[in-house]
Amino acid sequence: GQNIDQPTEMTATEGAIVQINCTYQTSGFNGLFWYQQHAGEAPTFLSYNVLDGLEEKGRFSSFLSRSKGYSYLLLKELQMKDSASYLCAVMDSNYQLIWGAGTKLIIKP
Amino acid sequence: DTAVSQTPKYLVTQMGNDKSIKCEQNLGHDTMYWYKQDSKKFLKIMFSYNNKELIINETVPNRFSPKSPDKAHLNLHINSLELGDSAVYFCASSQDTSGGGANVLTFGAGSRLTVL
């Protein structure tokens, strides 16, 4: 079966750095996506990785290791507005997205 | 101008009723989707249409029927609503399904369905 694992909930402090991990087992791999979803809102696209390595976008970076079936989303200089759920999704060999259940990130002052 | 718009935003109805949710995208995308997000926040694909043709039809009760009159619209009709249908339904679109950045999803704001 296909599976995406990510922690259910994490807590971090404003101004700090947090790393949200995602491990996957899928039938093939055509890329990994991270989305952010604030409570009561729609998911919005954050990042896409298809090759190994780190992709940086401002305060957010995403890392991929295909051999380990592993990715992480790194959030720096945390702000209160970063409190949200972060969804990891992998595109399988049929170009279908397999979604993780999301990690709820709580930022404390 | 909203990229992906869906209506209604909230829907409260009785068991057994039939309801529809409409979705429109103005991004010129070829592919549209319906997702269901339950109380545990897990996003589950229901249907996907590419240029008005059904390409993904997950294991969904046949009480759910999608309809795509053109590639900018994908509506969802639900017959004989049940308590378990209560969820947030998200419409989304992507450029196409060829992989990479073309598969980035733009979501609508969601339609919260409550069945009493």
Side-chain angles (χ1 to χ4, degrees):
Chain A
Q2 308 206 85
N3 196 49
I4 310 278
D5 282 317
Q6 45 181 138
T8 306
E9 189 174 295
M10 298 182 72
T11 303
T13 307
E14 193 177 12
I17 298 174
V18 72
Q19 177 175 311
I20 302 173
N21 295 326
C22 171
T23 56
Y24 63 89
Q25 292 171 307
T26 56
S27 305
F29 178 84
N30 277 304
L32 185 145
F33 299 79
W34 283 97
Y35 284 79
Q36 180 191 59
Q37 186 177 22
H38 285 102
E41 297 183 13
T44 55
F45 170 72
L46 283 178
S47 68
Y48 168 70
N49 294 69
V50 68
L51 299 175
D52 291 350
L54 190 68
E55 294 277 342
E56 296 188 73
K57 233 190 227 185
R59 294 187 300 113
F60 292 9
S61 305
S62 55
F63 172 82
L64 174 68
S65 168
R66 287 172 295 170
S67 61
K68 293 182 181 176
Y70 167 69
S71 172
Y72 67 73
L73 181 69
L74 191 71
L75 292 76
K76 300 177 188 173
E77 300 166 21
L78 284 169
Q79 302 174 11
M80 297 304 291
K81 68 178 182 178
D82 297 329
S83 291
S85 287
Y86 292 85
L87 308 173
C88 173
V90 173
M91 185 162 296
D92 69 11
S93 56
N94 294 320
Y95 294 97
Q96 290 203 27
L97 272 179
I98 313 300
W99 292 84
T103 298
K104 182 178 180 180
L105 178 63
I106 299 167
I107 310 295
K108 295 188 172 176
Chain B
D1 225 13
T2 307
V4 179
S5 58
Q6 52 181 112
T7 55
K9 192 166 171 62
Y10 298 98
L11 197 50
V12 180
T13 189
Q14 301 285 333
M15 268 174 54
N17 284 351
D18 303 339
K19 290 294 176 186
S20 291
I21 309 172
K22 295 186 174 182
C23 180
E24 175 182 3
Q25 54 96 3
N26 63 6
L27 297 167
H29 286 170
D30 284 347
T31 310
M32 294 185 73
Y33 309 79
W34 277 111
Y35 277 89
K36 179 180 179 181
Q37 190 172 47
D38 60 24
S39 56
K40 293 181 181 173
K41 307 302 178 190
F42 193 69
L43 264 177
K44 189 173 177 183
I45 181 76
M46 299 174 72
F47 303 102
S48 173
Y49 273 72
N50 191 59
N51 266 316
K52 301 194 300 175
E53 279 193 38
L54 182 66
I55 55 170
I56 295 175
N57 184 2
E58 291 298 308
T59 309
V60 174
N62 56 15
R63 299 181 294 103
F64 291 80
S65 51
K67 197 165 280 187
S68 182
D70 55 63
K71 75 172 195 176
H73 295 84
L74 180 61
N75 303 323
L76 182 66
H77 187 76
I78 316 169
N79 288 326
S80 305
L81 278 157
E82 299 178 358
L83 292 176
D85 298 332
S86 294
V88 180
Y89 292 84
F90 284 104
C91 177
S93 72
S94 66
Q95 189 176 317
D96 53 49
T97 56
S98 61
N103 280 87
V104 171
L105 296 174
T106 301
F107 284 86
S111 297
R112 181 175 292 275
L113 172 65
T114 303
V115 182
L116 303 174

